[in-house]
Amino acid sequence: MRVFTRRIVVVGTGYVGLTTGACLASLGHRVVCSDVDAAKIRRLSRASVDILEPGLEELVRDGLDSGRLTFVVASASVVAEAEMVFLCVPTPMGADGGADLAAVESVTREIRDQLPHGCVLVMKSTVPVGTSARIAELVRRSDVAVVSNPEFLREGSAVRDFLRPDRIVVGSAGQDAAERVAALYARLGAPTVLVDAASAEMVKYAANCFLATKLSYVNALAELCERSGANIADVTAGMGHDRRVGRSFLRPGPGWGGSCLPKDTHALMRISEAVGFDFALLRAAISSNVRQRERMVDKIAEACGNGRANSLAGVRIGVLGLTFKAGTDDLRDSPALAVARLLVERGAELVAYDPGLRADDPHLEGIVTLVDDAYQAAKSAAGLVLLTDWQEFRTLDWPRLAAVLDGPVVVDTRNQLDPEVVRRAGVSWHGVGHPPIRA
């Protein structure tokens, strides 16, 4: 496939939009990123990136230095010379659980008359099946094609995922428009899947909801291992060698979360209900995920609580990690934060450390006291709880932690730690899907 340099406008400089714009510029395209937040545009124009994402700030700086990447305050006229316009605006969960398309539709109405003849409008945001058709109706122009090109970016590895993708999915009723979008990624050498727009929109939901279901399954399996005396690490190691199963998404934890899986599972439930399909399996996966967070609280209460009732009232607990995954500063639908809230509801006093967070984060007010390191979090605590799998937690000084803990116990909800290292330091280890290892 021949590679062309295109003039591209990316509307929205959130997680997806900024990564998309910076990466497309790195592939040689000329990219203008627009956003309604003027202060944010000023920061980005200085290569100041607020998102904690490895490699992203460097790509932004390189794009600015080369002149291939620019940032402007959003206006309808910004699309006037674009060959392609990527819509990367938020589609948050609405009150009914479905995706809220207000921002997508508002931007479409604003720019439709300014789109040049032959322009391709690319839907990058995650949207329900049928949205591309709806946007085409709003555009009301036969000379402008609407194409679905879903993103598959994981926080903490978004740049790598964009530049080394498993596949490129492009959906459109017109072959020419689909091939023009696919050609943007030709230098990546990834498999390209050309489908209709509705199928492309479904691919994103289908993939994320499958992963959520897989995680709910392994969390349920971990509980079964605890009750039956099996070891989840050994069980998943045996499962992972089967190519039909694979090794990914087989680690138990405090539940799944983040900016995508909760939103997408609920959105697919709404899509299913709209066409009269009872997606019982997906509903069970969502319910199991809620229960997993509550189960982690029960596990913590059993290890750190007072009296026969395992009361957490007034119990000081040190918390390691609050972001939804390591390598990010994102607290959106974080299972770690959800567990922390449940602990507070049961009366616990939390002191936490997370390498990606600042003490003034408004999401933490009234929930935890944030400190500068793990040892401060452990000081005088009845126990430690690891909720996010930051790599640095594997190399903590456990004799030092044991010396400051009031209760020599750690509840490792990610099975991140080496139980023998913890045990030798005089601290009991409680994992997920394993029998406890006593000090």
Side-chain angles (χ1 to χ4, degrees), residues 209 212-213 264-266 268-269 272 279-287:
C209 292
T213 302
D264 292 354
T265 49
H266 282 88
L268 191 57
M269 286 298 299
S272 303
F279 208 149
L281 177 62
L282 184 57
R283 185 170 59 253
I286 296 170
S287 177

Side-chain angles (χ1 to χ4, degrees), residues 20 46 68 157 210:
T20 297
R46 300 192 302 268
R68 290 192 300 270
S157 60
F210 175 80

Side-chain angles (χ1 to χ4, degrees), residues 21-22 25 29-33 59-60 63-64 66-71:
H29 304 293
R30 305 191 71 83
V31 182
V32 176
C33 290
L59 276 187
V60 170
L64 289 169
S66 69
R68 290 192 300 270
L69 180 63
T70 55
F71 296 94

Side-chain angles (χ1 to χ4, degrees), residues 3 226 274 334 391 409:
V3 180
E226 290 177 17
S334 167
Q391 189 63 28
V409 60

